[in-house]
Amino acid sequence: MAHSSRVTPPAGRPSGDLLHVTVGLALLLGVWSVGALEVSTGKVSFIEAMNGSTVLLPCTYSSCIGIKNLYFNWHYNDNGTMNKLCEAVIPVEGVEPNKVSVFHDRVDFVGSSKTQNISILLWNITFEDQGQYICFAKNPKEKNRNHSAIFTLYVVEQMREVDNTLTVIIVSALGGVIGLVVLVMVIKAVVVHFLHKDDEKNKECLVSSSGNDNTENGLPGAKGGDTNKATPKA
């Protein structure tokens, strides 16, 4: 009677089905990460502004698979207490939100879904406004995928003066070097010009001297009379 035997994969090596499932999950996660919603406050995540001025708190969103009923809001982190500044819902890409709810009397929404912009303005800032501002968004089209970014505001009495001494020194040095190079090129051109004239004069002198030597030696083409000329017959 024949006995059937089942081959068990070696320990530490996944079976074929498990391997296929693992590869499939990796591919799905890769696609998900590519199309995932992201919000950004730009390359610089902070700003330093004077007391009493108006500042822009920037934020943009992006999603490779698009949005639907994208929810966003802004919060201010007041020593651990999150104070909501505004919120709204963007129906679809390129359509402005029907209503932006603002919960702060010195905040204005200045973004536009046409440019994927959900930035706000903060008017007449005070030292109490200093701190972290959080931009948050959630996209139901990506199974409520959400993302947030932090923008930090520093409030000062007056802006710091930038010391441009080193910059002035560098620019002056470069200007001096460029001026010196131009001067050298001009002098070189003048010298070459005069040397060229001297060469022409030397050539003229050589030609003239050669003509005089031929005349004195009675060579053909000389202007002097022929001493061997026959005496005319009577």
Side-chain angles (χ1 to χ4, degrees):
M1 182 176 180
H3 295 280
S4 61
S5 60
R6 183 177 182 180
V7 179
T8 303
R13 177 181 294 178
S15 64
D17 293 340
L18 181 59
L19 182 61
H20 292 160
V21 172
T22 304
V23 172
L25 287 175
L27 291 175
L28 287 175
L29 289 175
V31 173
W32 179 262
S33 62
V34 170
L37 171 73
E38 287 188 2
V39 295
S40 172
T41 55
K43 294 181 179 180
V44 180
S45 59
F46 68 91
I47 189 173
E48 189 176 87
M50 287 181 59
N51 180 33
S53 62
T54 299
V55 296
L56 173 69
L57 304 180
C59 187
T60 57
Y61 65 88
S62 63
S63 174
C64 291
I65 66 173
I67 65 166
K68 184 176 182 180
N69 294 326
L70 176 78
Y71 169 80
F72 72 89
N73 64 40
W74 275 90
H75 281 83
Y76 169 61
N77 186 358
D78 186 8
N79 295 321
T81 302
M82 304 301 291
N83 297 328
K84 186 181 291 185
L85 303 178
C86 72
E87 66 179 357
V89 174
I90 301 175
V92 291
E93 206 67 66
V95 177
E96 303 296 349
N98 295 327
K99 180 183 178 182
V100 179
S101 301
V102 179
F103 308 103
H104 194 291
D105 57 357
R106 289 184 288 111
V107 166
D108 282 338
F109 176 74
V110 294
S112 173
S113 60
K114 294 179 181 180
T115 54
Q116 299 180 326
N117 191 322
I118 49 177
S119 304
I120 60 174
L121 276 181
L122 182 59
W123 296 85
N124 194 23
I125 61 173
T126 66
F127 291 104
E128 287 74 21
D129 295 322
Q130 179 169 285
Q132 293 182 338
Y133 292 80
I134 297 93
C135 175
F136 170 86
K138 180 174 64 175
N139 188 14
K141 190 173 182 178
E142 298 180 60
K143 297 182 179 180
N144 287 326
R145 161 80 180 186
N146 62 79
H147 195 234
S148 62
I150 298 175
F151 192 81
T152 305
L153 171 64
Y154 299 99
V155 183
V156 297
E157 185 64 36
Q158 60 181 8
M159 301 301 291
R160 291 175 294 181
E161 294 183 1
V162 179
D163 187 3
N164 293 323
T165 304
L166 181 59
T167 303
V168 172
I169 293 174
I170 294 174
V171 172
S172 300
L174 288 175
V177 171
I178 294 173
L180 181 60
V181 171
V182 172
L183 180 62
V184 170
M185 292 178 66
V186 171
I187 293 174
K188 180 181 178 181
V190 172
V191 171
V192 169
H193 176 70
F194 281 105
L195 288 176
H196 184 66
K197 280 192 171 183
D198 289 342
D199 288 342
E200 290 181 351
K201 288 182 179 179
N202 290 335
K203 289 179 180 178
E204 290 177 358
C205 290
L206 289 173
V207 171
S208 176
S209 176
S210 176
N212 292 336
D213 290 343
N214 290 340
T215 302
E216 292 174 356
N217 294 329
L219 294 177
K223 295 180 180 180
D226 188 357
T227 56
N228 297 324
K229 188 175 180 181
T231 303
K233 294 182 178 180

